[in-house]
Each structure stands twice: as structure tokens, then as C-alpha cells.
């Protein structure tokens, strides 16, 4: 008989933790428990990928009537009802959470709906007062949005709050230039919100391919998003009547007529505990002032490691609070492992799931399996979408001599409707080995395309392998296999 209550105790009910718990429990005699203090499904299902993608779908319908009319359909512009969408969204999230619970129950995993922290390398203490022991402990507690260290930051929202709004603000200022900031800028604009975006850097989407991020920035601005790069927030407070005096020349955001009566206006439309009582006055580093119904901070995320007893048990944390692990997801304490966003390696749901699977292979199947973080395809759900795998042009050029194959054009569907939207297809090829080092696509449906391109890049396909592949015509993606001459070398 084991000296422990469980062979594995998982802290965190997100996609990675649930997958690891289920796979370990499937090994027969392995007894598994999992604790989740909030909702099952974690960031992706409840506060991230899934609700965000559903909001992307909703926002994309706004441009369809105009495009349809160019194709001969007599369709009037519609209106978006947040209450209807939000009600359906909540139902879907409830359904998905129920699926996660059923999967755990069906696998024989014992669930604890409580906060868990470590007492020692083999002991977990629950917020219910229960104490459980385990031979192995897996930390899969994820991460959360962080607020910047500026006065009155509590008046603004973070990404989690978006999904709890009872109605949409009429205007919003988004602080940040990463993929979360840009995705919500496009989403909210598509839903009819007046969007202003500040980013302190020179160009949005830092870390991605320069040419691709430039095209996305231009497309966002052409759609009507008021993007200010090299700009940050200096001050923020609740707006007062005096803030609306004068002619408002150069003022960002909205006018008093658009916002409503000041002060005590009820146009701030969230129900979060940090909610402001009315519109917010903001001053930017460029000297401009603005008044917005809401401010959304999308300035980074931080691992959920606070008050978990990790360091007291000997688990090392990095400078950002992340759990430090080796290639097998093992911490410096042999019995404790960590996967997913809490390790701040590659913060993507499919990666967390694969880390969980590798953990089970290593610990419960006797097959030491390091986590593979190379050549991971990903997508940014801006409008247009951005799909990417492998090296950027800048990274490839720094690594070796590279040929750049690239084309940008108006896609057939949008060009016929008289729209100026442009598509980008780009391959980076090693001069020496001819391998495709990176693939970048900016286009409607780029996320779907990059998944398939990612297979070829992961397999080590050469440019000649792409060239030998027959094109599917007429499609946007055919350009990936029809670019014959490099546009430049790097």
C-alpha cells in the first residue's frame, strides 16, 4: 500500500492540468486528484481562447452586409446586441466547463473545488482545511493579467473583465501592443465600439515578423482603430465636468454628448469590483488628453505562484514569478513538476497540453520525454488574422544567410467588393540547406492555413518541396507554393 493519499495531485484545472490528470489516471493503478479554485477549463476555455474566438466571430459579421451588397445581395446593415451574444456565450462556457468535469469524473480523478497550496514536497493543503499527500505534485495553476504600476490603475479593466461586461462601452482606450491588446482592439471595433490604442513601442506585435506586423498595423488603422505608437498613459482618473470644457481640439476619445452627463454618469459598463463610476479621463505621454467609457490594460500576464508555498518547499521561481523547470518540466524538488503558463515558457494552450502529456510519459510510463518547444505554429486573431511558424525574417537573417520569398496582394473576395484589404504570404529559406525556416501569413483564415503549413515546416521541408506541391486555384494559400524567385536576401 502506498504511503501517500495519491500518486499524483494536480493543482489547476486548465487544459494542461486536466490532460495530465486524465492521462495519469488512465495508467491503471495510478490514483489522481485535482484541485481547482475557480472554473474548470482555465484561462483558455473560460477567460481566453474560446470566448475570445467567439467574440472574433461575432465582430467579423459587422462587415459582411457591405461586402454582400457588392455581390448582389440586398442586405441592410444590422445592429449588434451584446446581451444576446453574452447570454449565449455564458451558456457555451458553462457547457464546456461541464465537459471538463465529466472528463475528469469519467477518468476516475477525484476533484476538489478549492484553492491548494504546498505544505511540503509531498503535502497539499486545501482552502477547505483538508490536507492531502501525494507522491508527485504537478503545478498547473496558469497565469493572470497584470495591471501596470500607475496611479488609479484599478479603474481600468483587464482582459478577464471583458467577458463579464453587462453591456459594451461606447469608447475604449486599450493600453498595450501585444497580441491580446490587438485582438481586443479589432474585436471591440468590429462590435461597434470606438477604439483608441496606445503602445509605448515603435510598432505593435513586438517579437513577430516586422513586415507582417507592419501590414496588420496599417490594416487596423484603415479600419478605423485610432492607434498611437510610442505612446503610453501618464495619468488616469474619473472624468469631471471641467474635463469637457473648451472646443476639444486634439482631444482623444469621445465628446461629452457621446458619453453623457458628468459626473456620476453610468456609461461605464462593467460589473467588476474595480469598476469606475463613470467615464475616465486619461493623459498620454504625447500630451494629449482623452475621455473614454473604459480603459483596458493589456500589458502582460503574470504566473499564478503567489501564496502557494512554493519557495518554502524549495521550488525556485524566476524573476517574473514563474516556476523554474528543466526540459522534463521538473522543478529543483524531485517530487514537484510544473507545466503551462505558470512556467512562462511558451504560453499557448496546445503547448500546455503537450507538456502535460510529456510529464505523464516521463513520470508514469517510464519513458523520459523532454518537451518539444521548437517550431510551434501560432495565430493572432486580429483582422486580418496572422499565422506564423518558425523564425521571423530578422531572426533568420541573424542566424544564417536567408532567401526571402514574399508576396502581398488583394484577395479575390475582398477586391471584388472594392475593399483595400491586403494579404501577405512569406517564406524564409536557408541558402545552405534550402529548408523553410519560417512561414508567415496575414490573411483571413490565416490561423487555419498556418496549421497545415506548420506540418511541412516541422518536418523540415525545403523550398523545393513547396515548389513541387501543386497549387489549389483560385485560393489565397496557393501563393505559398507558387513563389519562385526571392524578393531579397537577408
Amino acid at each position: 500500500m502506498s504511503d501517500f493519499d495519491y500518486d499524483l495531485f494536480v493543482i489547476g484545472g486548465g487544459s494542461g492540468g486536466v490532460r495530465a490528470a486524465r492521462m495519469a489516471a488512465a495508467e491503471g493503478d495510478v490514483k489522481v486528484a485535482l484541485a481547482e479554485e475557480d472554473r474548470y477549463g482555465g484561462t483558455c476555455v473560460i477567460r481566453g481562447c474560446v470566448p475570445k474566438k467567439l467574440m472574433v466571430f461575432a465582430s467579423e459579421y459587422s462587415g459582411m452586409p457591405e461586402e454582400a451588397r457588392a455581390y448582389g445581395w440586398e442586405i441592410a446593415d444590422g445592429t449588434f446586441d451584446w446581451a444576446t451574444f453574452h447570454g449565449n456565450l455564458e451558456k457555451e462556457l458553462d457547457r464546456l466547463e461541464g465537459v471538463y468535469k465529466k472528463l475528469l469524473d469519467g477518468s476516475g480523478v477525484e476533484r476538489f473545488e478549492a484553492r491548494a497550496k504546498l505544505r511540503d514536497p509531498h503535502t497539499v493543503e486545501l482552502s477547505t482545511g483538508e490536507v492531502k499527500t501525494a507522491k508527485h505534485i504537478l503545478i498547473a495553476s496558469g497565469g493572470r493579467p497584470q495591471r501596470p504600476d500607475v496611479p488609479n490603475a484599478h479603474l481600468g479593466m483587464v482582459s478577464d473583465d471583458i467577458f463579464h461586461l453587462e453591456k459594451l462601452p461606447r469608447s475604449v482606450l486599450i493600453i498595450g501592443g501585444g497580441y491580446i491588446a490587438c485582438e481586443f482592439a479589432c474585436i471591440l471595433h468590429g462590435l461597434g465600439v470606438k477604439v483608441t490604442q496606445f503602445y509605448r513601442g515603435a510598432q505593435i506585435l513586438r517579437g513577430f515578423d516586422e513586415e507582417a506586423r507592419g501590414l496588420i498595423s496599417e490594416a487596423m488603422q484603415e479600419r478605423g482603430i485610432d492607434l498611437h505608437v510610442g505612446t503610453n498613459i501618464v495619468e488616469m482618473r474619473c472624468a469631471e465636468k471641467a474635463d469637457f470644457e473648451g472646443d476639444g481640439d486634439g482631444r482623444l476619445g469621445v465628446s461629452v454628448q457621446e458619453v453623457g452627463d458628468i459626473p456620476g454618469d453610468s456609461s461605464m459598463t462593467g460589473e467588476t469590483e474595480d469598476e469606475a463610476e463613470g467615464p475616465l479621463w486619461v493623459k498620454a505621454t504625447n500630451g494629449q488628453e482623452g475621455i473614454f467609457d473604459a480603459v483596458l490594460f493589456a500589458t502582460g500576464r503574470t504566473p499564478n505562484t503567489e501564496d502557494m508555498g512554493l519557495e518554502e518547499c524549495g521550488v525556485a521561481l524566476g524573476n517574473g514569478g514563474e516556476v523554474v523547470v528543466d526540459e522534463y518540466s521538473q522543478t529543483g524538488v524531485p517530487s514537484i513538476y510544473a507545466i503551462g503558463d505558470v512556467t512562462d515558457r511558451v504560453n499557448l494552450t496546445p503547448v500546455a497540453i503537450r507538456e502535460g502529456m510529456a510529464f505523464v510519459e516521463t513520470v508514469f510510463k517510464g519513458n523520459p520525454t523532454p518537451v518539444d518547444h521548437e517550431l510551434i505554429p501560432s495565430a493572432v486573431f486580429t483582422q486580418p488574422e496572422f499565422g506564423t511558424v518558425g523564425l521571423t525574417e530578422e531572426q533568420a537573417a541573424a542566424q544564417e544567410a536567408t532567401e526571402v520569398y514574399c508576396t502581398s496582394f488583394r484577395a479575390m473576395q475582398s477586391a471584388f467588393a472594392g475593399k483595400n484589404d491586403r494579404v501577405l504570404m512569406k517564406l524564409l529559406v536557408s541558402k545552405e540547406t534550402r529548408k523553410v525556416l519560417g512561414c508567415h501569413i496575414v490573411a483571413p483564415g490565416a490561423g487555419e492555413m498556418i496549421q497545415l503549413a506548420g506540418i511541412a515546416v516541422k518536418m523540415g521541408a525545403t523550398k523545393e518541396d513547396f515548389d513541387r506541391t501543386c497549387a489549389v486555384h483560385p485560393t489565397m494559400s496557393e501563393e505559398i507554393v507558387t513563389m519562385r524567385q526571392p524578393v531579397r536576401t537577408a
Side-chain angles (χ1 to χ4, degrees), residues 441-483:
I441 301 173
V442 179
E448 304 291 346
M449 296 184 211
I450 204 66
Q451 177 69 85
L452 300 181
I455 298 172
V457 175
K458 183 70 172 177
M459 291 176 66
T462 65
K463 179 63 172 65
E464 286 66 36
D465 291 326
F466 276 66
D467 293 343
R468 281 192 294 270
T469 304
C470 190
V472 178
H473 181 75
T475 66
M476 292 179 287
S477 57
E478 68 179 295
E479 297 292 334
I480 288 291
V481 299
T482 58
M483 294 183 288

Side-chain angles (χ1 to χ4, degrees), residues 116-452:
K117 60 186 297 183
L118 301 186
R119 179 178 286 187
D120 64 46
H122 293 284
T123 306
V124 175
E125 181 180 341
L126 302 175
S127 56
T128 58
E130 297 173 274
V131 175
K132 301 295 181 180
T133 61
K135 184 176 181 180
H136 302 284
I137 296 173
L138 178 64
I139 310 297
S141 50
R144 66 185 185 279
Q146 63 183 17
R147 296 176 188 272
D149 185 18
V150 297
N152 293 324
H154 68 281
L155 298 175
M157 301 185 294
V158 292
S159 59
D160 288 359
D161 301 322
I162 290 287
F163 308 115
H164 300 293
L165 293 176
E166 289 196 351
K167 59 179 180 178
L168 290 176
R170 283 163 290 188
S171 67
V172 65
L173 169 63
I174 298 176
I175 309 294
Y179 72 91
I180 294 175
C182 294
E183 287 175 340
F184 276 114
C186 293
I187 288 169
L188 293 173
H189 175 265
L191 298 180
V193 179
K194 185 175 182 180
V195 177
T196 304
Q197 184 178 355
F198 288 176
Y199 178 51
R200 63 184 182 182
Q203 184 59 282
I204 58 172
L205 297 173
R206 181 171 62 89
F208 291 97
D209 187 83
E210 287 280 354
E211 193 169 11
R213 60 202 282 235
L215 191 153
I216 294 169
S217 174
E218 292 173 4
M220 288 172 61
Q221 292 177 76
E222 186 168 332
R223 280 169 164 76
I225 294 171
D226 188 15
L227 175 62
H228 299 256
V229 295
T231 306
N232 205 348
I233 188 172
V234 175
E235 297 180 58
M236 181 174 73
R237 57 172 168 76
C238 291
E240 302 170 355
K241 281 187 176 180
D243 297 322
F244 294 92
E245 294 177 355
D247 58 16
D249 286 347
R251 180 184 289 150
L252 301 165
V254 294
S255 68
V256 65
Q257 291 80 17
E258 291 175 299
V259 172
D261 295 332
I262 304 296
D265 180 76
S266 60
S267 61
M268 179 67 180
T269 54
E271 287 294 330
T272 64
E273 63 178 287
D274 292 325
E275 176 187 353
E277 289 298 323
L280 299 173
W281 172 88
V282 170
K283 185 174 182 180
T285 52
N286 61 11
Q288 288 185 287
E289 300 176 9
I291 296 173
F292 305 90
D293 272 352
V295 172
L296 170 63
F297 291 111
T299 51
R301 295 178 63 83
T302 188
N304 286 325
T305 54
E306 293 181 3
D307 192 31
M308 289 187 64
L310 295 171
E311 290 182 294
E312 293 83 347
C313 290
V315 175
L317 301 182
N319 293 333
E322 73 278 10
V323 178
V324 177
V325 294
D326 64 14
E327 61 180 336
Y328 298 97
S329 297
Q330 188 176 36
T331 71
V333 180
S335 61
I336 301 175
Y337 291 73
I339 61 171
D341 290 6
V342 76
T343 66
D344 197 25
R345 289 177 286 181
V346 179
N347 297 340
L348 297 170
T349 298
V351 175
I353 291 172
R354 284 181 168 266
E355 289 171 354
M357 295 165 65
F359 160 76
V360 173
E361 287 286 337
T362 298
V363 176
F364 293 103
K365 294 188 177 183
N367 177 30
T369 303
V371 178
D372 182 3
H373 288 136
E374 296 298 318
L375 296 174
I376 297 170
S378 62
V380 179
F381 295 104
T382 45
Q383 295 171 18
E385 284 183 16
F386 179 26
T388 177
V389 62
L391 301 180
T392 67
E393 180 176 341
E394 297 69 37
Q395 291 168 337
Q399 173 179 295
E400 59 184 285
T402 305
E403 291 181 346
V404 180
Y405 295 81
C406 185
T407 182
S408 181
F409 55 93
R410 289 201 301 164
M412 178 189 294
Q413 183 176 357
S414 56
F416 182 85
K419 297 170 68 175
N420 293 322
D421 297 357
R422 296 195 68 80
V423 166
L424 174 74
M425 300 285 172
K426 186 173 187 177
L427 294 177
L428 305 168
V429 179
S430 166
K431 276 190 173 182
E432 180 181 0
T433 67
R434 306 301 299 158
K435 283 187 178 181
V436 175
L437 304 175
C439 177
H440 308 281
I441 301 173
V442 179
E448 304 291 346
M449 296 184 211
I450 204 66
Q451 177 69 85
L452 300 181

